[in-house]
Amino acid sequence: MNSAGKHRTVAKAEPAEASREAAAAPTSGSRRGRFAWFGTLASLVLILASLGVLWKLSEEITWAELHRAFTAVTGAQLVEAFAAVAVSYLFLTCYDALALRQLRLKVPYRITALASFTSYAVSFTLGFPLITAATIRYWIYSKRGLSAAKIAALTVIAGFTFWLGMGVVLGFSLIIEAGQLASLTFTSIGVNTSVRLNQVLGFGTLALVLGYLAWVSVKRRYIKVRHWQLELPGATVSFSQMVVGIGDVCAAAGVLYLLMPESLNLGFTTFLAIYVLAAMLGIASNAPGGIGVFEATVLLALSYLPRDAVLGSLLLFRVCYYLVPFILALLMLGLYEGALRLRRRRAANDP
């Protein structure tokens, strides 16, 4: 990584250039402000629209029906679902491991796994990952000598891993299950998307991923953020990121798929496309865990199923994939901090 502070600054600037820069600065700042407000407004609109759809779809469901659907899951389903949760979070620990490899930093895997698992489990539940996940990562990694800039770079690289995996899964799902997705779209919202359109979107998504891999393969690529620049992973690490991202997305989708009612007659590949679309909309909303947006999208896509059964599966998914790991992460963080303090006390008491 090429980090901050290495950009050369010009000692003296021409008066005309200086005045132009001074005049341009407020304009660029105001533009950034407008874009930030636009993004916030779009997120709020998406959240409100999704909550409206969710309310409309679930208003006819009684608490008794929901309770029955929620408790209809078998013990075997729960065991399989929690196994898929464990696989998904195991892949998530590889996000940080690959990022550390790219940054040429050596951190024991047990620390990497702790930082990765706890940061994702907490941010998935509380939302605002740039604050929650970054805070936990800094709390753990800073004790291993990592600077704030390197932790920020690690977070950026981990994000690339997630999106590469999502892109590949969505692309292949749209191509392989183009026909079933087209009929499902018509059944759900009355929009007739053609098989060819789904395939074009799928090939386009895969083309973007392959284009990115080719782009970072030709030469070293950097992204600049203010006064520091980050070297993007090359082809080898990027391909590894893609594989890890695919594994994580498939395992996470598998959790919900395993909890779905028996009347679900969709293949896993088709279900993957629905899950990825719902997850992407949830991320775009900036709501904690995409709550409301994710559920509304899945309910719309699976509108041919009993709504109480699907909503019960979605609530149970929240418990298995978000709530249980969140509680476990808090316990692990408490034990970790307690162990550190005990170690410091023993070190202080040693002669």
Side-chain angles (χ1 to χ4, degrees):
M1 171 188 175
N2 296 326
S3 52
K6 294 190 178 179
H7 291 290
R8 292 179 296 177
T9 57
V10 180
K12 293 182 179 180
E14 294 293 331
E17 293 179 358
S19 62
R20 281 196 299 270
E21 289 175 1
T27 304
S28 61
S30 62
R31 285 178 181 173
R32 284 195 295 269
R34 285 197 297 269
F35 284 129
W37 276 109
F38 177 78
T40 303
L41 180 62
S43 297
L44 287 174
V45 170
L46 183 57
I47 291 173
L48 292 175
S50 299
L51 288 176
V53 171
L54 183 60
W55 176 262
K56 183 68 177 176
L57 292 174
S58 59
E59 64 181 350
E60 298 178 359
I61 300 174
T62 65
W63 284 108
E65 290 174 333
L66 187 59
H67 179 266
R68 185 166 58 252
F70 190 80
T71 56
V73 66
T74 65
Q77 281 180 287
L78 281 176
V79 170
E80 292 172 350
F82 274 115
V85 170
V87 172
S88 177
Y89 277 90
L90 181 61
F91 275 113
L92 284 174
T93 66
C94 297
Y95 283 27
D96 281 32
L98 285 172
L100 288 168
R101 176 184 171 186
Q102 168 64 18
L103 297 171
R104 293 178 277 279
L105 298 171
K106 291 185 178 180
V107 176
Y109 177 72
R110 67 180 187 279
I111 301 299
T112 303
L114 174 68
S116 182
F117 171 74
T118 54
S119 62
Y120 282 115
V122 171
S123 65
F124 284 169
T125 303
L126 300 183
F128 308 104
L130 291 179
I131 299 174
T132 52
T135 300
I136 292 174
R137 279 195 174 107
Y138 183 78
W139 179 23
I140 296 175
Y141 284 130
S142 62
K143 293 179 174 63
R144 294 286 165 168
L146 273 67
S147 66
K150 289 181 178 179
I151 295 170
L154 183 151
T155 304
V156 171
I157 296 172
F160 274 97
T161 305
F162 173 78
W163 286 109
L164 282 172
M166 291 279 274
V168 173
V169 170
L170 181 61
F172 275 115
S173 298
L174 286 170
I175 294 169
I176 297 171
E177 301 294 346
Q180 190 163 10
L181 286 170
S183 61
L184 193 62
T185 305
F186 181 76
T187 303
S188 303
I189 57 177
V191 177
N192 190 10
T193 58
S194 67
V195 174
R196 182 162 296 182
L197 176 60
N198 288 337
Q199 291 175 336
V200 167
L201 291 174
F203 280 115
T205 304
L206 291 180
L208 287 175
V209 174
L210 293 175
Y212 173 79
L213 292 177
W215 183 63
V216 296
S217 301
V218 175
K219 65 177 182 179
R220 291 182 177 180
R221 301 291 184 177
Y222 301 87
I223 56 173
K224 294 182 180 179
V225 181
R226 299 199 176 214
H227 302 296
W228 60 277
Q229 60 181 10
L230 168 67
E231 180 184 351
L232 293 175
T236 302
V237 177
S238 294
F239 183 78
S240 300
Q241 287 179 301
M242 187 177 70
V243 173
V244 168
I246 292 170
D248 166 41
V249 172
C250 290
V255 178
L256 182 56
Y257 187 75
L258 289 166
L259 295 173
M260 278 290 160
E262 294 182 358
S263 53
L264 179 71
N265 58 355
L266 291 180
F268 183 64
T269 311
T270 307
F271 186 82
L272 262 178
I274 297 171
Y275 177 88
V276 170
L277 178 60
M280 291 174 72
L281 289 174
I283 294 167
S285 72
N286 288 317
I291 191 166
V293 182
F294 180 84
E295 283 81 0
T297 306
V298 175
L299 279 169
L300 274 175
L302 302 180
S303 58
Y304 68 93
L305 292 175
R307 290 175 186 171
D308 58 334
V310 177
L311 191 55
S313 298
L314 286 166
L315 290 174
L316 196 54
F317 171 76
R318 288 278 176 190
V319 172
C320 295
Y321 196 79
Y322 292 95
L323 184 59
V324 172
F326 174 67
I327 295 172
L328 183 58
L330 293 181
L331 290 174
M332 292 173 69
L333 288 171
L335 290 172
Y336 176 70
E337 183 63 22
L340 286 179
R341 292 189 179 187
L342 182 62
R343 194 178 305 163
R344 290 196 208 103
R345 188 175 299 173
R346 286 178 177 175
N349 293 332
D350 285 342

